[in-house]
Amino acid sequence: MLLLTDDAGEGQRLQRALGAAQACEVVALDDALKHKPEHSAIACLASFDPETTEQLREALSHHRTDPRIPVLFLMRDSSLYASTQAEALGATALLPSDASDDQIIAAARRMAEVVVDPAPQTARTESVLEADVAEIGAALVELMQAAKENRQIPLGLLDQGAERLVTSMRRTGIRQWLDFVRRHDDLTYQHCLLVAGLVAGFASRLGIAPGSQKMLAQAALVHDIGKASIPRHILHKTGLLSADEMALIRRHPADGHALLTGQRGIDARVLAVVRHHHEYLDGSGYPDRLRASQIPDFVRLVTVCDIYAALVERRTYKPPIAPAQAQAMLVAMGGKLDQGLVAAFGRLVAEM
């Protein structure tokens, strides 16, 4: 592994942690172009001022000779701006620079695994992904069935499904997940699985803390749980919905929230996603017509992924929209969505 840094002292500290997982060479950013591009993984520790960002771009262009080479950014700044800059430079994973040694070692080991098995669509990857989708899909079926019967959802199953989802994203990536899930026969579950994969993968790329990644995965799996009691012929209707049918569909966020609110042990952030994933920043969404600062960042993230999934998924009455076109439609929604998140999501779409 190569560690590029603008701080030799801090670089030596991180080298010790990274070196516990694989051999690590520290190179000053100023000297990066003098070294041969011969490493199978890259870590970066630097600030994002204009001059340093340009140095990073040149160094990565020189050393990342294969786009499959993983790049870990160790972030001094946890802001959305810093995450966006790292994404633009090709980050495949983000961690705080003050992360524990165990977290850094785990990240380095995951990077080593990517290099050991670089082909994204080997038979082994397909088999593992099939098992992941089968387990998470089965959990989703049980969660929806519990909601349909108006009984408490099995929280252990939700927790296991979210954990398996986060692990699967780390192992296979979003593109493979989307390709595989699109083969799912049931369109209701296909949508939830697409949204869940997009949310988990996007959260990981933004460097969101592991605990919050898992929370977002849980929220994505149950974000449409209020649809459990809506007749399938309405959910999959090919023509225009009647006024009554539309009103029923638009009730699902509030219905899902009401169902889960009465159950102990569900994260309040999950409840917020279930109720507010159809809210827009300009106040035109539903059910509560929230505006701007009233909508938390994690809800905004799920909303972006939810809309994108609806555009690219297979439907009986329409072909899927191409990724680039779907991303353009998110951009065209302007002030309804968090365009900072949309831009960061667009860099992810470009890799799909």
Side-chain angles (χ1 to χ4, degrees), residues 37 145 198 305 308:
Q145 186 61 34
L198 287 166
C305 295
Y308 180 85

Side-chain angles (χ1 to χ4, degrees), residues 168-243:
S168 186
M169 285 299 102
R170 189 181 300 137
R171 188 163 47 211
T172 61
I174 291 182
R175 180 176 181 176
Q176 289 74 37
W177 176 270
L178 297 184
D179 288 345
F180 200 90
V181 167
R182 283 194 184 101
R183 306 174 200 170
H184 204 286
D185 291 334
D186 191 292
L187 298 183
T188 300
Y189 301 140
Q190 180 194 126
H191 175 73
C192 290
L193 290 170
L194 286 175
V195 174
L198 287 166
V199 167
F202 190 26
S204 177
R205 289 294 298 272
L206 289 175
I208 292 173
S212 293
Q213 287 184 38
K214 185 175 177 181
M215 176 278 296
L216 281 164
Q218 292 177 335
L221 285 171
V222 297
H223 78 284
D224 270 347
I225 201 162
K227 290 182 177 178
S229 60
I230 299 176
R232 292 172 65 86
H233 73 273
I234 295 178
L235 289 175
H236 303 313
K237 186 175 181 178
T238 57
L240 292 175
L241 295 172
S242 69

Side-chain angles (χ1 to χ4, degrees), residues 223-278:
H223 78 284
D224 270 347
I225 201 162
K227 290 182 177 178
S229 60
I230 299 176
R232 292 172 65 86
H233 73 273
I234 295 178
L235 289 175
H236 303 313
K237 186 175 181 178
T238 57
L240 292 175
L241 295 172
S242 69
D244 288 343
E245 290 169 338
M246 179 61 74
L248 183 61
I249 291 286
R250 288 171 68 93
R251 272 177 39 193
H252 81 268
D255 287 349
H257 181 263
L259 174 74
L260 298 181
T261 298
Q263 184 166 344
R264 295 181 61 183
I266 297 181
D267 193 307
R269 295 170 296 177
V270 172
L271 294 174
V273 168
V274 171
R275 185 173 182 91
H276 298 308
H277 64 278
H278 284 292

Side-chain angles (χ1 to χ4, degrees), residues 44 48 53 56-57 60 64 71-75 77 79-95 174 198 200-208 213 301 340-352:
C44 299
F48 288 105
T53 299
L56 280 168
R57 183 176 290 107
L60 288 168
R64 198 182 189 194
V71 180
L72 169 66
F73 269 78
L74 295 150
M75 310 289 290
D77 180 357
S79 69
L80 182 59
Y81 170 79
S83 298
T84 301
Q85 291 297 314
E87 289 284 314
L89 290 168
T92 57
L94 307 178
L95 267 183
I174 291 182
L198 287 166
F202 190 26
S204 177
R205 289 294 298 272
L206 289 175
I208 292 173
Q213 287 184 38
L301 185 152
L341 283 174
V342 170
F345 187 75
R347 285 183 280 278
L348 199 61
V349 170
E351 300 174 9
M352 295 180 190

